Amino acid sequence: AELLAFMQDRIYPNEQEFAKQSHAARGANGVEWTHPPLLVELMVEAKQRGLWNLFLPVDSAELAPEGAHLGRGLTNLQYADLCEIMGTSIHAEFAACATNCASPDTGNMETLARFGTEDQKRQWLPPPRPP
């Protein structure tokens, strides 16, 4: 229910703004990979709503540092249903990016949770802070 509310309240109404900010941010200041401000804002909100790294199974989430707020312990089948919902945005990766469930983040986050050093986990697993 929380993912559906997030989609209705925050993702669908912001699709055009996300596209506009994404195009404006592309290559800005010589940086190719820059998250638009709207996306960073939604990433922080997704974490607050418990929608961060939904793909991460419970055994991997348990390996992450406290406060990283990882996963819900879903099976692949349960996660697949959420992916179907996230994929209904006009920009298919918008909701997945906002919840850190887009590739390659999914595989990278699980690898870091399982095999990263404690410093790497602290640096890369929590969501970004707002600018």
Side-chain angles (χ1 to χ4, degrees):
E2 188 64 35
L3 179 61
L4 290 172
F6 185 67
M7 296 294 292
Q8 290 293 331
D9 299 343
R10 304 295 285 141
I11 297 296
Y12 300 136
N14 284 301
E15 289 173 335
Q16 290 182 348
E17 182 62 25
F18 172 71
K20 186 166 58 170
Q21 286 185 15
S22 294
H23 290 290
R26 190 171 293 139
N29 301 322
V31 178
E32 185 60 31
W33 297 104
T34 302
H35 290 313
L38 174 62
L39 182 58
V40 174
E41 174 187 323
L42 292 176
M43 289 171 144
V44 171
E45 184 175 337
K47 183 204 178 235
Q48 292 169 344
R49 293 173 84 156
L51 299 172
W52 190 253
N53 287 342
L54 295 170
F55 61 88
L56 203 60
V58 71
D59 59 332
S60 294
E62 289 172 350
L63 299 171
E66 190 169 329
H69 195 84
L70 297 175
R72 290 242 175 135
L74 303 175
T75 66
N76 283 343
L77 182 58
Q78 291 167 323
Y79 176 61
D81 289 336
L82 301 182
C83 288
E84 185 175 5
I85 293 167
M86 288 186 281
T88 60
S89 175
I90 290 175
H91 185 291
E93 291 284 304
F94 181 28
C97 287
T99 58
N100 205 45
C101 292
S103 61
D105 297 330
T106 51
N108 292 344
M109 296 300 112
E110 187 164 5
T111 299
L112 283 168
R114 287 182 178 272
F115 306 110
T117 66
E118 291 307 310
D119 285 342
Q120 289 170 326
K121 291 176 184 182
R122 275 191 297 279
Q123 180 178 359
W124 296 107
L125 293 179
R129 293 181 181 94

